[in-house]
Amino acid sequence: THSRMPTSGEVRIWDLTGPTPKDTGIVLPDIENVVCDYNYPKLIAVGLDDTVTIFDPAVNDPAGAGQTIGKHQIDSILARTKMVLSPDTRWLVTVCQTTERADVGLQINVWDLQAKDIAKSQQILNGRQRYMHGNGVVIDPTSRWLVSAGGFSVNENSDQDTVTIWDLHAKDMEASARNIKSTDDVWQVAASPNCRWLFTSRMNGVIQLWDLR
């Protein structure tokens, strides 16, 4: 994940089936960030124009045959995008962060990759934080719970970081949000395999343990 740059980026696809990596010559232009998984045969990318596209490296022209599934609704060209794919490869999550308005929180986008119409499955969640540190977003091992963490609660007179838990199985994900207050800057979040424990690490080196039951 990186800050938006004025120049265009590209993704080059390599074939790893042989003894040494082989350049396929396939290039995807104007890409900001990508995510892929061993269990998901396609590559998902966020473009410099904020569109989210699924590419299939197995077709003759991956760039021309890309499937656009949505676009970020952000109000600033200065943004950082994080991407997470759930362990079961069903859910795609992207997190956008505007940098010019303190009253606007993170924008969290969720897509169901198993839906008949992936584009229509997009849900936009209103982030409870103004900004996100490090790896401040994770999906738990069961692929049900989405956790986001960041600093300075939106519309609250508080300098505490907020950890928000979302239920990806809920019909209304936005209404399922639960907030946890944490002191200092939360840098990373992680969930235990049984989904009972949530771990948050702070920039001062302290790790906090939360019982989710």
Side-chain angles (χ1 to χ4, degrees):
T1 303
H2 55 274
S3 299
R4 182 74 54 80
M5 301 297 290
T7 56
S8 62
E10 66 177 26
V11 171
R12 186 174 294 273
I13 298 177
W14 299 75
D15 184 352
L16 303 180
T17 58
T20 59
K22 180 182 178 181
D23 188 352
T24 64
I26 300 173
V27 176
L28 305 178
D30 302 323
I31 300 298
E32 178 188 352
N33 202 359
V34 297
V35 66
C36 56
D37 187 270
Y38 178 80
N39 296 312
Y40 190 74
K42 299 179 182 180
L43 180 147
I44 307 173
V46 173
L48 294 174
D49 60 355
D50 295 312
T51 58
V52 181
T53 306
I54 299 176
F55 297 99
D56 186 352
V59 301
N60 292 330
D61 181 15
Q67 176 188 1
T68 298
I69 61 173
K71 187 171 183 177
H72 294 146
Q73 304 298 317
I74 58 176
D75 62 351
S76 172
I77 63 171
L78 298 175
R80 292 179 294 173
T81 302
K82 299 178 186 293
M83 303 180 69
V84 177
L85 194 62
S86 64
D88 64 358
T89 67
R90 175 180 178 180
W91 304 102
L92 169 69
V93 175
T94 66
V95 183
C96 301
Q97 175 181 319
T98 61
T99 58
E100 293 182 343
R101 292 181 56 187
D103 62 327
V104 177
L106 300 173
Q107 181 193 92
I108 300 175
N109 299 267
V110 182
W111 286 269
D112 184 351
L113 299 179
Q114 295 180 6
K116 290 183 179 180
D117 190 331
I118 300 175
K120 290 184 178 179
S121 74
Q122 180 182 6
Q123 293 197 45
I124 299 177
L125 308 178
N126 296 315
R128 270 55 176 177
Q129 306 86 19
R130 294 183 190 170
Y131 60 84
M132 181 175 289
H133 308 289
N135 294 325
V137 60
V138 69
I139 299 176
D140 83 288
T142 68
S143 299
R144 176 169 183 176
W145 304 103
L146 168 66
V147 182
S148 66
F152 292 96
S153 302
V154 175
N155 297 326
E156 293 185 19
N157 186 22
S158 172
D159 61 357
Q160 286 186 318
D161 276 23
T162 303
V163 178
T164 305
I165 303 172
W166 319 78
D167 186 352
L168 294 174
H169 290 185
K171 186 175 181 179
D172 186 348
M173 294 183 191
E174 177 68 30
S176 74
R178 291 185 292 161
N179 292 331
I180 301 173
K181 296 293 184 181
S182 175
T183 58
D184 207 348
D185 293 330
V186 176
W187 190 255
Q188 291 185 327
V189 290
S192 64
N194 64 0
C195 302
R196 175 174 182 179
W197 306 103
L198 177 68
F199 305 88
T200 59
S201 65
R202 292 161 31 187
M203 293 185 69
N204 62 3
V206 174
I207 296 177
Q208 290 179 291
L209 175 64
W210 308 85
D211 189 343
L212 300 181
R213 292 184 181 177

